[in-house]
Amino acid sequence: MKALVYYGPGKRSWEDVPDPRVLDPEDAVVRVDGFTICGTDLHILRGDVPEVQAGRVLGHEAVGTVTEVGPGARTVQAGDRVLMSCINACGRCRFCREGRYGQCLGGGGWVLGHLIDGVQAEAVRIPFADASVHKLPDGISDEAALMFADVMPTAYEVGVLNGGVRPGDTVVIVGAGPIGLGAVQTARLFSPLQIIAVDLVESRRAAALAFGADRALSPDDDVVATVRKVTGGLGADVAIEAVGVPAAFDLSVAVIRPGGRVANVGVHGKPTTLHLEDLWIRDVTITTGLVDTRTTPMLLQLMQAGQLAADRLVTHRFGFDEVSEAYDLFDDPVGSAALKVAVLRN
Amino acid sequence: MKALVYYGPGKRSWEDVPDPRVLDPEDAVVRVDGFTICGTDLHILRGDVPEVQAGRVLGHEAVGTVTEVGPGARTVQAGDRVLMSCINACGRCRFCREGRYGQCLGGGGWVLGHLIDGVQAEAVRIPFADASVHKLPDGISDEAALMFADVMPTAYEVGVLNGGVRPGDTVVIVGAGPIGLGAVQTARLFSPLQIIAVDLVESRRAAALAFGADRALSPDDDVVATVRKVTGGLGADVAIEAVGVPAAFDLSVAVIRPGGRVANVGVHGKPTTLHLEDLWIRDVTITTGLVDTRTTPMLLQLMQAGQLAADRLVTHRFGFDEVSEAYDLFDDPVGSAALKVAVLRN
Amino acid sequence: MKALVYYGPGKRSWEDVPDPRVLDPEDAVVRVDGFTICGTDLHILRGDVPEVQAGRVLGHEAVGTVTEVGPGARTVQAGDRVLMSCINACGRCRFCREGRYGQCLGGGGWVLGHLIDGVQAEAVRIPFADASVHKLPDGISDEAALMFADVMPTAYEVGVLNGGVRPGDTVVIVGAGPIGLGAVQTARLFSPLQIIAVDLVESRRAAALAFGADRALSPDDDVVATVRKVTGGLGADVAIEAVGVPAAFDLSVAVIRPGGRVANVGVHGKPTTLHLEDLWIRDVTITTGLVDTRTTPMLLQLMQAGQLAADRLVTHRFGFDEVSEAYDLFDDPVGSAALKVAVLRN
Amino acid sequence: MKALVYYGPGKRSWEDVPDPRVLDPEDAVVRVDGFTICGTDLHILRGDVPEVQAGRVLGHEAVGTVTEVGPGARTVQAGDRVLMSCINACGRCRFCREGRYGQCLGGGGWVLGHLIDGVQAEAVRIPFADASVHKLPDGISDEAALMFADVMPTAYEVGVLNGGVRPGDTVVIVGAGPIGLGAVQTARLFSPLQIIAVDLVESRRAAALAFGADRALSPDDDVVATVRKVTGGLGADVAIEAVGVPAAFDLSVAVIRPGGRVANVGVHGKPTTLHLEDLWIRDVTITTGLVDTRTTPMLLQLMQAGQLAADRLVTHRFGFDEVSEAYDLFDDPVGSAALKVAVLRN
């Protein structure tokens, strides 16, 4: 079969590799019907994630059809149309028992396209299949489903739930890429009073407004002053960092009210300066996290019911044989105005 | 009457000042029967808290007897023996309605010995008396009661409750001064599996063990390795920072397990470096806070019932006319092995 | 001034009474601009609430303009246009400090039109004014504001918050009178997957659909079977009882899934049979409660922002001199199809 | 091998049955080293649990040594000394993913000695072994471990955690049998101000005091008045029902304060009358539940650390060949003063 293989920084190839097969009783092998590319894949290609070895098939966001299962798979069977979660779960370790699948100690967590071969391929082996795939309900297209492999549950769990968004809140979302726009949508599930999105790029600010933000600011605007003005001087109840650079984190902390919460979602490569001399007295809570995907079934139900518009995050479509073009386009989000790309079986 | 007056960095004087009187309908005037000194008072005397103006009477931890109340005081009356909380509460603002008195927007919060004259005096005016003093039950001595003006509720609310200590947890408490020792005691209320205290000073490590810590380490020991070893490699469930310097905060973050909580209690004067490049994926929660004193009545009940040993924090006693000696001794905790001093009416 | 005076079961009169005046430093006197009638007022008139004495002015839901305040009122002043909450709060007792104002031990709770003269009058004395009235933002009409004195916070706090409604939930609301319809609207704030309303009266079922319910059933339909069918056999996540009769409570319990929550809002006059022989093993939570009105300011903000449609609950309008007709109509909800009536200053 | 077989109401026999074997890849077969008898076993023998068929081996609380595992068992292996939980968990269904194992939809929940053969035998087949047994740490005897198969996690999860016991609370525990005494011990983990135990039997009241209750009352004492007196008139914060009869449930509801919680643990065979006419306004929460055993590992750690005294619940010991005498004695708790019996391999 064909797969997108990583060969070290800057080197990738869509090429023939051996077909995957069931190695463990709880494995499933899934024919991939479509996948997408994550910003993390770009990080890997820049060499930022050294655990990823040359020869690894990339990708952790896909939909497909189960072709084979091991004898230990109980709920998944051949023929099922499934969403493959970016997180696998052994289901037995301390963290899996708490629903904290992202921190799985038993061989799960984020492994696909990272520690084992991933989903940017014509087929893939999925460990712990029962706990790691979700049967897709009717009425959700492959394209829409792709948004629930990583983007939507990450935005919801690590951003909105960790941030504790409540009805009536003022929510600042720093970064209006796919994750930030997912946070705009899923923060809306809790009926905040207002959502203020912040992004450097005009097209992303426009997207934030289209997805339900009440205001969209550039970081060059005086964001802190604006937030204070629209909150009676107090600051935001919740800030969600969806970029992954120090300046975005610092802004998230700067806009928060006493007693408020900062939820970091961004993938950071560098430290920042934490101003404890100001923060110690301000009753602030800061959270970090990797997605657990425990809310994925619920989010899929809301999508099916028409209460989410995740499919609108897909701005560009490619065939499997165009995966290289898909990568090139996705790697230039400002030029292409791409949010998410869908790479679909031809 | 006599009071301890601040005259700028390094300058204090126990001298005659005008008697306090009721200025607002909800005020009480209280004869002070005893007070203690807080590390924050030392900060003020070093000039670190510029809002405190020359001429200000210091102090925010005291017990006394009410001598006069305004017409708006409903629950406090002359003759009541009361604990004066370090936090006053207007009872009307958004934050007071949430029990977040430390952030009071209506003239309360930490004001005593800070923005208005404090309690290191023979008498003091207490604003919003109903919500700012606590009638003392029988069986709690003045000395013991002093520990509940600030130390014990701060350790409990900002450390133990923000840290979310649960039965079975491993709790690391960085700093074994009065607040850290209060955290040892009040963390015990939730039956953690083990408490590991960390302090530079041998006498304080010994105190931590005496107050119920299971281990006491020096920061020069390999604290991170020890915590890992006793937690099956995972790290601590909760870390409580009770020092207020970057190294102590950094150690608190370093010992935490995925999914754990770091509760900062220390008063910080400098920023620190937050290693988001490690933390973003680790599901860590960091909290800061000023005490609200909303749990003070409950803590006093537990003290009365013999479930806390806060009185053992008082290591030295002085008369009002010895307040200068009390300050000198308290300012040399290593030399004096002092934890808290009680300055009592002669 | 004129007021609606209760003279024992079945007897009421709109007649001259003495003007109210400030009796306590924290009182306000408010000119009433509009009031509404509550089902509880009808209960009083049937003699079901024996604490209400002959001669009492009824009513606990009103808007008006402050004309005088006592010296202890800090945040309210003459000229303020205010919503009068059905709950007053001393702000000092244990329950007020927890935000549980409905259980106030210091002279508040539900007192208006119950233990002291109420708001169905040209003017009213409001105790503990700061904590018991809410300044009305621009853009909220008197009619709309009336829905926030009792109906909307009761539906939200006692129904939706006690019920713990979460995104993706199936919520059954038994009773589609004003409270039930308020629950439909405020449950929507948490984006449930589906809301199923149950009412005997066809016009109320139609109203439920108009306010956002997904299905409306008669209790004569097989409600339990329908709920099971649309929840994969499990039952509802949350049931909200908004009637106050045993059959409605029993139905609420019968539809709930293992691990679900039943929130009782209805005012009950009789006991029911609790089937512990079925329930003990099912992980069910049942809550009861009186409104605290602690969420009223937030709900008013959402109304102002257009996120609630509470004004649509007002189906009929009267002048003060038509209060008797208003009562007659409201006492025949099936015949009149009335939801809430607004009785407005002429 | 020998096993205790149920043959219909009143009929049991310790007799030869076929040896268990691995039927499913995730099964383990465990040699039983000791078991205990539950009040539920007595209910079965009275014919109260009609799902239990003649020929069924009884028992759901045991310790033993794994002798064989299926190929799908990952964390359990032959030779492991394990506690067998009264609850099995498929680990895949919606409820298992929430940690609500007692409600498992995938073949787990309470099945042992109920829907499949149980543990009162020389060996037993344990489905879903990884999620259903707990490796026993050193230093916990078989006798002590038996208390963690059902009694201690039930008391803790369904009583103490559902009741939300907090430091400073007044907790009433109705029933001082094994579960009630487990609740006394595990409520202590949260440092309540006082625990009041209620039981008809003097020896059980004495046991409650020995396990840490502050008072022990007979239901013939005026329990409601006593609770009011020691709570300033308000009532208990938490009541835990650990009997399973209407009178005990009713008493639990009667002692509760406004805003308090009633946690039912008892297994009920009959309905009761719920006085909604009093309760609707009182902000009361009532919970029911079957144990999930998700806290068993933590409780075992506290036992190992000496923070629990569960072993003291074992009052009588028997050999496997004396199981009939063990049943007879356990069925006469008043006459025998038995709490729990340990039936141990000879």
Side-chain angles (χ1 to χ4, degrees), chain C residues 30 45 49 89 104 110 138 155 160 192 220-221 260 271 301 304 343:
Chain C
V30 184
L45 278 162
V49 189
C104 174
W110 173 38
D138 291 340
V160 174
D220 298 331
D221 300 332
Q301 282 191 300
Q304 190 184 21
V343 185

Side-chain angles (χ1 to χ4, degrees), chain C:
Chain C
M1 68 163 192
K2 296 281 192 188
L4 195 282
V5 184
Y6 169 73
Y7 284 112
K11 297 182 203 149
R12 57 176 153 79
S13 166
W14 177 256
E15 64 179 33
D16 284 307
V17 300
D19 287 351
R21 57 199 178 79
V22 166
L23 299 179
D24 179 278
E26 294 180 51
D27 282 351
V29 170
V30 184
R31 186 191 70 173
V32 175
D33 295 323
F35 59 82
T36 182
I37 307 172
C38 181
T40 306
D41 297 320
L42 302 180
H43 277 289
I44 294 170
L45 278 162
R46 289 184 198 113
D48 293 348
V49 189
E51 312 88 274
V52 181
Q53 298 178 334
R56 175 68 63 228
V57 177
L58 296 184
H60 54 265
E61 304 180 61
V63 293
T65 307
V66 176
T67 54
E68 186 188 355
V69 297
R74 289 170 188 273
T75 62
V76 177
Q77 51 193 350
D80 286 349
R81 179 172 166 252
V82 295
L83 169 66
M84 285 164 273
S85 175
C86 65
I87 298 295
N88 297 65
C90 83
R92 292 159 168 92
C93 73
R94 174 223 175 117
F95 289 131
C96 282
R97 290 195 187 201
E98 295 174 3
R100 204 179 276 283
Y101 307 128
Q103 306 292 338
C104 174
L105 299 167
W110 173 38
V111 293
L112 288 169
H114 180 211
L115 306 178
I116 65 173
D117 283 340
V119 300
Q120 292 173 357
E122 292 182 308
V124 61
R125 179 181 74 90
I126 301 290
F128 306 114
D130 286 334
S132 308
V133 306
H134 303 278
K135 279 190 222 187
L136 282 168
D138 291 340
I140 296 190
S141 69
D142 283 357
E143 259 183 55
L146 285 175
M147 299 302 101
F148 294 86
D150 182 343
V151 170
M152 295 297 284
T154 294
Y156 182 61
E157 296 177 7
V158 188
V160 174
L161 293 186
N162 280 359
V165 177
R166 299 279 302 165
D169 277 356
T170 294
V171 180
V172 174
I173 298 174
V174 181
I179 295 284
L181 296 171
V184 170
Q185 285 188 68
T186 54
R188 275 271 164 256
L189 297 176
F190 289 97
S191 304
L193 181 65
Q194 54 189 337
I195 295 176
I196 301 165
V198 181
D199 202 289
L200 280 163
V201 179
E202 204 287 328
S203 64
R204 293 198 160 187
R205 293 198 295 273
L209 294 170
F211 275 104
D214 298 280
R215 289 166 191 264
L217 302 175
S218 163
D220 298 331
D221 300 332
D222 190 342
V223 176
V224 172
T226 302
V227 171
R228 289 235 174 101
K229 199 176 67 178
V230 300
T231 55
L234 280 186
D237 299 287
V238 181
I240 297 175
E241 202 275 10
V243 180
V245 301
F249 183 85
D250 299 350
L251 179 59
S252 301
V253 173
V255 298
I256 211 71
R257 72 161 167 86
R261 296 177 68 93
V262 177
N264 184 78
V265 192
V267 177
H268 288 263
K270 292 182 193 158
T272 194
T273 299
L274 188 71
H275 287 284
L276 284 172
E277 75 280 17
D278 298 325
L279 290 172
W280 75 267
I281 202 170
R282 297 192 77 233
D283 292 18
V284 169
T285 299
I286 297 170
T287 60
T288 70
L290 180 65
V291 68
D292 296 311
T293 66
R294 67 183 184 282
T295 65
T296 303
M298 184 279 286
L299 292 171
L300 286 170
Q301 282 191 300
L302 288 183
M303 180 75 203
Q304 190 184 21
Q307 295 187 244
L308 293 170
D311 52 332
R312 289 169 41 209
L313 290 168
V314 179
T315 53
H316 296 77
R317 287 150 200 88
F318 297 89
F320 275 8
D321 52 358
E322 300 167 306
V323 63
S324 191
E325 293 90 326
Y327 258 94
D328 290 344
L329 177 133
F330 185 68
D331 202 6
D332 176 26
V334 177
S336 67
L339 292 171
K340 290 291 278 187
V341 301
V343 185
L344 302 168
R345 179 172 285 271
N346 297 80

